[in-house]
Amino acid sequence: MKVPHNRLDRQFDLLKDEYLQAARQVLESGWYVLGPQVEAFEREFAEYNDAPFCVGLASGLDALILAFDLLGLKPNDEVIVPANTYIATIMGITRNGLKPVLVEPDQFYNLDPARLEQAITPKTRAICAVHLYGQIADMPAIMNIAEKHHLAVVEDAAQAHGASIHGKKAGTWGDIGCFSFYPTKNLGGFGDGGAVLVKDRKLADDFKMMRNYGSRVTYYFERVGYNSRLDEIQAALLRVKLKHLDRLNQQRQQIARRYLEEINNPKIILPQLRFGMEGHIFHLFVIQTEDRDALIRYCDQHGIGTKIHYPQPPHLSQAYQQWGLQRGSFPITESMADHVLSLPIYNGMSPEEVDLVIDALNAY
Ligand SMILES: *Cc1c(COP(=O)(O)O)cnc(C)c1O
């Protein structure tokens, strides 16, 4: 038996008939971009999160780019952001001419409130919290700091649909919550997609204007906008999945619970929970190990697929070589990039497949 890192066909099979019916309905409707399905999905995703407004977009990166645009900041204003994130978070900031101020993460791989407060300068205008791997950041502490210093908060919730602290969901703590519906995400579609959650109608309308060439009234253009619209077919498929999201997240949490309880090998450092299971929807199950290449080879030999999220932190990527940052600038982040490894976790993973991973890792 082989256990690949992910199997997207399994999550399709779980709800196959509902997906086929939803897709067929859109195909037969004659309306394919920004229509009744998108409006219904926006309403339902806002309701699921207990957020006032949702606006559907074409991707998670677009959600971040538009969020930092609509905060209305000035060039070179500073945005504090964790150094260990997926690079899209940073691109959303720099695409708007803003300056990301990187800070080292806490032991949960997320923005560290203490280091965040130390990084504040007179030029700081915003904070970007990322809920990495599906675990919500320490939002109560982060919001306290933001309020004290009058800073805007953008959440990158692309990996954390449905994670919460005392029932308050990721993406609803700050001013703008950014989501991706890329197929591998917990609420993944069957193509690209994204959305934002916001608190007031004016801001929601601004996102709608910007996603459609900067137009509020057809063929009248207020700003140089984007084409960042959500397809009807994606919205229809996401509506199907959203109805089952809590159950799908619980399935991943059950797999994670087994890994946490049953993997028992001093060579493997397991993830820690900051706010219990409620706070982590396990988009990824990420361990650390000293000799990662050896463990990857071993897993390969045992038919277990692994991946690295992410092998190179943004500050060392070629895309940001102009910053001139060398290895050693962010040692905690760099050490994570050198030692993290993601184990298989996906909807439709069988108990036997979970057994195989656990047994192999314990025998390593
Ligand atoms: C996936 C992801 C994004 C980007 O979303 P896309 O829809 O792929 O553009 C941004 N931030 C994080 C943390 C992500 O995981």
Side-chain angles (χ1 to χ4, degrees), residues 176-216:
I176 304 173
C178 301
F179 290 84
S180 163
F181 307 124
Y182 184 76
T184 59
K185 313 287 182 177
N186 288 38
L187 182 59
F190 296 81
D192 278 306
V196 288
L197 295 178
V198 296
K199 294 181 169 56
D200 69 279
R201 187 180 297 278
K202 162 84 173 65
L203 187 53
D205 286 344
D206 288 349
F207 274 100
K208 288 181 182 174
M209 177 265 291
M210 288 301 284
R211 77 177 169 184
N212 197 25
Y213 307 112
S215 167
R216 279 184 224 272

Side-chain angles (χ1 to χ4, degrees), residues 83 102 104 315-316 323-334:
L102 309 180
E104 294 269 44
H315 71 275
L316 297 180
W323 294 347
L325 291 172
Q326 307 297 320
R327 228 174 200 290
S329 319
F330 295 94
I332 299 172
T333 296
E334 291 163 21

Side-chain angles (χ1 to χ4, degrees), residues 332-353:
I332 299 172
T333 296
E334 291 163 21
S335 168
M336 286 172 176
D338 292 341
H339 298 108
V340 292
L341 191 66
S342 305
L343 301 184
I345 189 163
Y346 48 87
N347 288 118
M349 189 175 181
S350 73
E352 294 72 32
E353 288 170 333

Side-chain angles (χ1 to χ4, degrees), residues 105-110 132-133 135 272-275 336:
D106 59 19
Q107 74 265 40
F108 309 98
Y109 300 103
N110 277 333
L132 204 66
Y133 306 149
Q135 173 149 239
Q272 299 174 62
L273 296 177
R274 176 71 181 77
F275 295 101
M336 286 172 176

